[in-house]
Amino acid sequence: MAMRARDRIELVQGREAEAAARAEAARAAMALREITVSYGESPAVFSVDATFPRDSLVAIVGPNGAGKSTLLKAALGVVPRLSGTVTVFGTPLERARERVAYVPQRASVDWDFPTRVIDVVMMGLYRELGLLGLVRASHRERALACLARVGMTDFATRQIGQLSGGQQQRVFLARALAQGADLYLLDEPFAGVDAATEKAIIDVLKELKGEGRTVVCVHHDLATVADYFDRVLLINTRRIAEGPVAEVFTAENLQATYGGRLASAHIDQLRLSEQG
Amino acid sequence: MGAEFVQLSLTPILIGVLSAIACALPGNFLILRRQALIGDAISHVVLPGIVVAFLVTGSLASLPMLLGAAGAALVAVVLIETVRRLGRIEPGAAMGVVFTAMFAGGVLLLEQSDTSGVHLDVEHALMGNLESLIWFDATGWGSLLDPAALAGLPPELPRIALVAAVMTMLMLVLWRPLKLSTFDEGFAATLGLPVRLIGLGLVAASAVAAVAAFDAVGSIIVIAMFICPPATARLVTERLERQVAWSTVFAALSAVLGYVLAGYGPQWFGAINAVSAAGMIATVSGVILAIACLFAPHRRRVGQPMA
């Protein structure tokens, strides 16, 4: 039976759209398709699509409980997803793990753990060292260089519990730097840190982007989105909007993301795209 | 003193030391993972499993004991999940109910069954039979080089030595993934580490140590050794490598000191009978922990503001 011409055209167009999406995913540092995660009866993240292009600095923004951290964890396989696919640099995550670094929320670990700052940074070299690989002087030097990048050289032999919140966050960032990845996923790196740490962290993140790497941050401070990031993903369980800050970070989209929880007076204070 | 010591005290002390070390090694990680009570739980659940294994096979050989204990652990896991879901209570409470109930069931089973021919009774389950593990064939230190005498060693000694050796090997080989996934499980998962398997493996290794030690020294020591030496070690150092090393030192110290105090201590105070070695070893480990709490250099800075 011959296909009707219109059907055939639609089929071809569909294939083209599919091929275009695949090509985009292959070019992107990370592409998420229809990610759904559920902890209980209602989904924490529902069918979220997102594409993080290479060489970009992306903020994931949304209210508390919107599934921002969950989306990151699901993308990395830390929490199981009900559905969806994750592509990293055009391949499945399992084949590109060494190109991805993850910085969990600071509060997710026990900082009374008996270990030193330098040991935590060395954890970033795990894949390189393997099970029984010898720690060489060169490894130690690299770990120290990563600590220097976040301004923590003097604390290398301190027990991690002796650090302030901001210092702990810097150590976590240094561990991610030690991984030498091309894609960095950070969960609330600016939460509860002092101003000096915030400056130190954003400087490093901008350096990473300058080196052609991709940085994605779960971020909660709407006031700094325009200053720090060039792209934004707005989510509230579902994806609300995604794109360059200049196009997407608008009052309308924020209202859609936060609902009534974000007073219009608050929105007025933000440097939003409409006001240039 | 030499010959009598080798014959009567050397093997119990060695078995005590090795049991303590085999339990203290995984205990370090259980404590850091906030799972310290798993040691307690395992040693309770093991009892009905061992009794059932004995009733089925009629022997106290290692393999049936281990299988019985493993079966009991499996039953416990299923029961906990059931109680938690049907009762809608928190996991800790569900665990508490299941472990105590299974232990009590084990005690009842033990009393109702004929175990007169073997060393298996409630007292043994709690306190082991450390004092009775003597080396009949020994005539002095020279017996350590005499194959005929060595063949007469109580079988508990090579058994627990093997378990302690395997535990040490595992810890050395799997050190990095174990430390990493204990400190930061989420990060470890992104590196592709099988974090759930590591957690399960740790509990399984703890169960093997508990069963092996339970047989020789009873559940009191097992519970104490999972917690006291590692907790003491945590107070004297800020590095995990050293903490684990110190925990074996404190475990050995507790075993030796406890055994000697139990055997000779009462005489110093004019009493005639020795007290239970298992009870004394556990008590000594607790006293060492208390001393460390008061005087150790890295006492937990509870409530102190972060610098």
Side-chain angles (χ1 to χ4, degrees):
Chain A
M1 294 258 274
M3 255 180 171
R4 277 177 32 214
R6 225 181 70 199
D7 285 350
R8 209 174 300 163
I9 289 167
E10 273 178 7
L11 188 69
V12 170
Q13 280 173 340
R15 278 189 192 144
E16 276 171 357
E18 238 172 64
R22 264 205 305 275
E24 194 200 354
R27 277 194 307 273
M30 180 177 250
L32 309 177
R33 289 287 163 264
E34 296 179 4
I35 301 287
T36 298
V37 184
S38 176
Y39 290 126
E41 279 159 21
S42 58
V45 170
F46 186 76
S47 195
V48 168
D49 284 347
T51 307
F52 307 131
R54 295 183 195 208
D55 192 15
S56 62
L57 197 46
V58 187
I60 301 179
V61 172
N64 289 333
K68 308 184 292 287
S69 299
T70 303
L71 181 66
L72 269 201
K73 288 181 194 161
L76 288 166
V78 176
V79 298
R81 36 180 200 272
L82 285 182
S83 66
T85 56
V86 178
T87 318
V88 178
F89 298 106
T91 67
L93 175 66
E94 287 67 30
R95 277 193 272 159
R97 281 199 189 278
E98 70 284 350
R99 298 184 70 181
V100 186
Y102 170 56
V103 179
Q105 277 182 26
R106 186 164 52 85
S108 68
V109 306
D110 170 18
W111 290 91
D112 200 36
F113 195 89
T115 197
R116 300 172 307 172
V117 167
I118 185 82
D119 300 322
V120 172
V121 180
M122 296 284 289
M123 288 176 188
L125 299 173
Y126 178 84
R127 285 187 73 95
E128 208 168 306
L129 289 168
L131 206 53
L132 297 167
L134 275 183
V135 176
R136 297 177 191 284
S138 61
H139 293 122
R140 214 168 287 280
E141 276 162 27
R142 259 170 56 201
L144 282 169
C146 294
L147 273 178
R149 266 184 98 170
V150 297
M152 289 288 291
T153 311
D154 296 343
F155 296 85
T157 56
R158 291 274 191 99
Q159 197 268 332
I160 52 173
Q162 297 170 0
L163 305 179
S164 71
Q167 290 167 336
Q168 290 171 348
Q169 190 68 57
R170 293 194 211 188
V171 172
F172 259 16
L173 180 58
R175 179 178 69 177
L177 292 174
Q179 289 180 270
D182 297 314
L183 169 63
Y184 290 80
L185 302 175
L186 299 87
D187 199 346
E188 303 248 15
F190 303 110
V193 305
D194 53 284
T197 296
E198 180 149 346
K199 172 89 169 57
I201 291 176
I202 192 62
D203 285 351
V204 170
L205 298 185
K206 286 185 170 167
E207 277 171 36
L208 288 173
K209 180 184 141 45
E211 295 163 8
R213 304 175 205 261
T214 307
V215 179
V216 179
C217 294
V218 169
H219 193 61
H220 66 289
D221 183 7
L222 296 176
T224 53
V225 169
D227 280 338
Y228 291 174
F229 299 96
D230 43 46
R231 289 179 68 87
V232 64
L233 166 65
L234 293 167
I235 65 167
N236 190 347
T237 307
R238 293 153 195 272
R239 183 179 90 156
I240 308 294
E242 183 199 11
V245 171
E247 291 168 21
V248 169
F249 200 59
T250 62
E252 194 185 342
N253 279 337
L254 280 175
Q255 201 63 261
T257 310
Y258 285 82
R261 275 176 282 187
L262 197 67
S264 48
H266 191 166
I267 291 184
D268 289 343
Q269 287 169 4
L270 296 171
R271 281 180 40 213
L272 295 173
S273 314
E274 287 170 337
Q275 289 131 358
Chain B
M1 158 85 189
E4 193 194 288
F5 175 80
V6 172
Q7 196 175 39
L8 296 181
S9 298
L10 182 64
T11 42
I13 287 181
L14 280 179
I15 290 169
V17 166
L18 291 168
S19 303
I21 289 175
C23 293
L25 284 176
N28 281 290
F29 290 92
L30 292 179
I31 284 188
L32 291 170
R33 287 167 173 250
R34 306 271 184 270
Q35 295 179 324
L37 283 179
I38 280 199
D40 191 343
I42 291 169
S43 61
H44 279 91
V45 164
V46 153
L47 181 66
I50 284 181
V51 177
V52 169
F54 170 74
L55 291 177
V56 171
T57 64
S59 87
L60 282 177
S62 309
L63 190 65
M65 295 292 105
L66 204 59
L67 288 178
L74 211 66
V75 171
V77 170
V78 173
L79 275 180
I80 291 165
E81 210 36 43
T82 313
V83 170
R84 196 174 68 81
R85 295 224 169 151
L86 294 181
R88 289 173 174 269
I89 55 173
E90 52 133 348
M95 267 200 218
V97 169
V98 170
F99 292 146
T100 38
M102 286 186 69
F103 187 71
V107 169
L108 281 181
L109 204 57
L110 200 50
E111 288 195 326
Q112 296 304 315
S113 51
D114 176 27
T115 53
S116 49
V118 291
H119 262 296
L120 190 61
D121 51 53
V122 175
E123 202 176 316
H124 173 205
L126 277 177
M127 302 191 290
N129 56 346
L130 203 48
E131 294 91 337
S132 68
L133 298 174
I134 50 181
W135 188 9
F136 286 113
D137 301 348
T139 52
W141 289 103
S143 302
L144 284 173
L145 299 172
D146 175 9
L150 283 175
L153 274 174
E156 282 84 353
L157 183 58
R159 198 183 297 162
I160 192 70
L162 178 70
V163 170
V166 168
M167 213 57 89
T168 310
M169 280 296 298
L170 279 176
M171 202 132 287
L172 289 174
V173 172
L174 299 178
W175 179 261
R176 271 181 201 153
L178 207 51
K179 178 179 175 183
L180 185 47
S181 63
T182 299
F183 172 60
D184 192 343
E185 197 163 65
F187 179 77
T190 65
L191 297 178
L193 282 176
V195 289
R196 283 176 155 239
L197 194 68
I198 293 170
L200 257 163
L202 178 63
V203 173
S206 307
V208 170
V211 172
F214 177 88
D215 180 33
V217 298
S219 62
I220 291 180
I221 289 196
V222 172
I223 296 168
M225 288 306 140
F226 268 116
I227 299 179
C228 290
T232 310
R234 175 66 190 92
L235 297 174
V236 302
T237 177
E238 296 279 36
R239 293 177 66 180
L240 187 57
E241 293 77 4
R242 292 179 188 170
Q243 179 191 318
V244 172
W246 274 110
S247 74
T248 62
V249 172
F250 287 123
L253 186 69
S254 306
V256 174
L257 213 58
Y259 188 84
V260 170
L261 280 178
Y264 304 102
Q267 294 170 26
W268 302 337
F269 294 98
I272 303 159
N273 296 322
V275 297
S276 149
M280 188 55 90
I281 290 173
T283 306
V284 167
S285 72
V287 170
I288 295 177
L289 175 58
I291 293 172
C293 285
L294 293 174
F295 301 111
H298 299 290
R299 285 178 287 156
R300 253 169 185 270
R301 287 163 293 272
V302 173
Q304 185 174 312
M306 286 198 268

